[in-house]
Amino acid sequence: DKAVHLIREVGETGSPEKSFSIDRISYKDPKVFELIGSGDTDGIFQVESSGMKDLCTRLKPNSVEDLTAIGALYRPGPLGSGMVDDFIDRKHGRKPIVYEVPQLESILKETYGVIVYQEQVMKIARELAGYSLGQADMLRRAMGKKKADEMAKNCELFVKGAVERGLPEAKAKGIFDLMAMFAEYGFNKSHSAAYAILTYQTAYLKAHYPVEFMAALMSTEINNTDKITKYIADSRAHDIRILSPDVNFSRQSFSVEKNPETKQKQIRFGLEAIKGVGGIAVECI
């Protein structure tokens, strides 16, 4: 929100920046995915840690679906089980994408044949074994909590439903076991998708409006000296000039100014970020 306000404020009259809205951006921008895949993700929501940077550079996401999967996969279970490596190898064609039965393709295509989400487990139960929505949700819960007695009941129910729909019993049992194995690591997609949108939006701002984005980012961390130092270094690495604090030009938080000669955007240091200068003092100034 701070970045969007800065973009509108700095934009020339009549320019697209003046009416910029984060709600109207394209979610298929190659520049954004290139930025995430390069690991240049300081300040980008959810993908700032060294582990996430490593995953992004290995996976090279090129869709919001990939970003959604990243959020679900970056957890101890999937990382430790080899599931993440399998996902990456399938995405890049190093391993074949295999579906146990053709009906699974429409459900697992976006995750390269790997069961990543709880919603996929529910959909497999519905499509292959005729579960109702309520029954599928009970199955998801039983798998998540590893309830042995409920799992045994569900296995019987699943196999019976799948056989009635034309699947061989052994194949149905194999698919149920596969679902049970992946369900231990399953994550709910709706949660991950919301995170993926924020990851993309912050990456979009960094890719297209880096000066306004970094100024907004430092303003949100104005009382955290370590983070300010980190983001100043990142700004300089991207050739963004940081102007010293100035009693006549600085605002309370970090702001964006244009160089009068080159018209290049620069970040002006916020007064409140100076040690010992509190918000009330800045307001008085």
Side-chain angles (χ1 to χ4, degrees):
D1 191 53
K2 285 178 191 287
V4 168
H5 279 95
L6 287 171
I7 291 163
R8 289 177 188 160
E9 186 185 294
V10 180
E12 304 286 342
T13 308
S15 70
E17 283 81 15
K18 229 26 181 181
S19 57
F20 175 76
S21 167
I22 199 77
D23 298 324
R24 292 199 295 267
I25 63 173
S26 161
Y27 282 91
K28 293 180 177 175
D29 190 324
K31 193 174 177 182
V32 178
F33 293 114
E34 196 181 310
L35 178 80
I36 297 169
S38 72
D40 179 17
T41 53
D42 280 352
I44 296 175
F45 180 74
Q46 216 199 356
V47 291
E48 274 196 275
S49 70
S50 57
M52 267 296 200
K53 284 180 180 181
D54 176 59
L55 181 54
C56 288
T57 52
R58 287 169 60 215
L59 182 64
K60 296 273 186 284
N62 55 2
S63 65
V64 171
E65 285 76 17
D66 282 349
L67 291 180
T68 305
I70 281 175
L73 290 168
Y74 190 70
R75 293 176 302 118
L79 287 165
S81 69
M83 185 176 162
V84 175
D85 296 325
D86 197 29
F87 186 94
I88 293 167
D89 286 340
R90 288 182 183 209
K91 174 177 168 59
H92 295 299
R94 293 189 289 266
K95 268 189 186 173
I97 297 169
V98 183
Y99 303 104
E100 291 292 314
V101 290
Q103 298 95 307
L104 290 177
E105 185 170 354
S106 62
I107 302 168
L108 302 179
K109 193 172 183 179
E110 69 169 291
T111 52
Y112 312 104
V114 179
I115 302 170
V116 174
Y117 309 117
Q118 292 172 344
E119 287 89 340
Q120 288 173 319
V121 167
M122 292 167 69
K123 201 164 185 190
I124 292 168
R126 295 195 69 220
E127 303 254 326
L128 267 61
Y131 274 53
S132 67
L133 281 167
Q135 285 173 318
D137 193 47
M138 294 304 283
L139 171 66
R140 173 194 65 79
R141 275 193 241 175
M143 285 184 165
K145 290 178 180 169
K146 303 185 188 69
K147 292 186 174 176
D149 53 336
E150 282 187 41
M151 288 288 280
K153 274 187 225 161
N154 267 292
C155 183
E156 203 176 303
L157 187 66
F158 182 89
V159 172
K160 183 172 177 284
V163 169
E164 281 169 10
R165 280 160 185 74
L167 274 187
E169 189 175 330
K171 183 70 85 174
K173 180 83 173 63
I175 290 169
F176 186 86
D177 291 343
L178 196 68
M179 285 161 64
M181 183 179 82
F182 280 107
E184 287 183 35
Y185 311 124
F187 196 71
N188 85 335
K189 186 183 178 185
S190 50
H191 181 124
S192 208
Y195 274 32
I197 293 298
L198 286 176
T199 300
Y200 185 94
Q201 287 178 348
T202 48
Y204 183 96
L205 292 170
K206 187 169 183 177
H208 292 281
Y209 300 100
V211 182
E212 292 90 338
F213 176 70
M214 294 309 288
L217 189 61
M218 289 191 271
S219 296
T220 64
E221 300 288 0
I222 205 146
N223 297 314
N224 187 331
T225 311
D226 290 343
K227 284 207 171 176
I228 297 263
T229 307
K230 176 185 169 181
Y231 295 141
I232 284 175
D234 190 52
S235 299
R236 287 180 174 147
H238 289 87
D239 297 322
I240 298 169
R241 193 174 169 210
I242 311 285
L243 302 170
S244 303
D246 186 306
V247 77
N248 293 312
F249 295 108
S250 286
R251 298 185 191 174
Q252 187 161 355
S253 54
F254 289 80
S255 53
V256 178
E257 290 177 21
K258 276 188 179 172
N259 183 310
E261 290 159 21
T262 64
K263 300 294 178 195
Q264 204 167 3
K265 293 174 188 172
Q266 309 165 123
I267 296 175
R268 175 69 72 178
F269 204 91
L271 290 180
E272 203 182 323
I274 301 167
K275 273 255 193 287
V277 180
I280 294 166
V282 176
E283 280 171 36
C284 293
I285 293 168

